[in-house]
Amino acid sequence: DAKTTQPNSMESNEEEPVHLPCNHSTISGTDYIHWYRQLPSQGPEYVIHGLTSNVNNRMASLAIAEDRKSSTLILHRATLRDAAVYYCILRDVESGGGADGLTFGKGTHLIIQP
Amino acid sequence: NAGVTQTPKFRILKIGQSMTLQCAQDMNHNYMYWYRQDPGMGLKLIYYSVGAGITDKGEVPNGYNVSRSTTEDFPLRLELAAPSQTSVYFCASSYYGGSPLHFGNGTRLTVT
């Protein structure tokens, strides 16, 4: 899987939007962009994924650049419960069917101030 | 629907001891995975399985063994525990290779 680059940490205020960036300049045409988050003392939790178009779900939105070399996870109104490590992961399901799971980096540690 | 259940939650082993970390899922997922997470680091894949009777090595398989006799269970075996195996272990499952992974809450293992 191609590599992603994320800031080590970000800080935001409660009830404000949060934009978490991810760079993936070596992304291939069959790489999906996945986001997971890990709350303290818990296992990672799926947030959202997409290929080319922007995606929305109940948890967040994913904005994908036109050239796909970067993406942004958007939390529309952060709460204290959103404080977690957020992982941006590329997953090529064409190669091996994605059977070997996900390759995790260090992610972005999101701090929410009350 | 419990999702992915891992037992035990915590364990302390002495060097050279053996143990099995249990993982069970009730979502009828075909794919299952074992990861380890060292402090301040991302997760690393130990072993994975695409179905009952089929297992394969991940990035860091040395010192571990797995089996997959049923769809539901995917135990991880440590034969001769070493301090380097002190870590938090996460089990995960997915319906197929491209679908989102569901993780358990982990087993925190200390080897002294």
Side-chain angles (χ1 to χ4, degrees), chain B residues 82-97:
Chain B
S84 60
Q85 293 177 306
T86 293
S87 191
V88 181
Y89 291 83
F90 290 102
C91 179
S93 71
S94 65
Y95 184 56
Y96 65 95

Side-chain angles (χ1 to χ4, degrees), chain A residues 8 38 42 44 85-87 103-109, chain B residues 35-45 59-60 86-88 90:
Chain A
N8 288 333
Q38 187 173 18
Q42 293 190 25
V85 178
Y86 286 78
Y87 299 98
T103 300
F104 285 82
K106 292 187 179 181
T108 296
H109 184 198
Chain B
Y35 288 88
R36 60 175 286 173
Q37 184 174 33
D38 298 331
M41 306 295 287
L43 283 72
K44 293 188 177 181
L45 184 66
E59 183 184 354
V60 290
T86 293
S87 191
V88 181
F90 290 102

Side-chain angles (χ1 to χ4, degrees), chain A residues 36 38 91 97-100 102 105, chain B residues 33 35 37 42 45 48 97 99 101:
Chain A
Y36 283 73
Q38 187 173 18
R91 196 168 186 203
D100 55 350
L102 305 166
Chain B
Y33 315 83
Y35 288 88
Q37 184 174 33
L45 184 66
Y48 65 97
S99 59
L101 271 64

Side-chain angles (χ1 to χ4, degrees), chain A residues 4-5 9 19 23 26 40 46 52-53 55 64 69 73 80 101 108 114:
Chain A
T4 63
T5 304
S9 65
H19 290 236
N23 287 319
T26 60
Y46 167 79
T52 56
S53 302
V55 185
I64 301 172
K69 292 184 185 299
L73 179 71
L80 295 177
T108 296

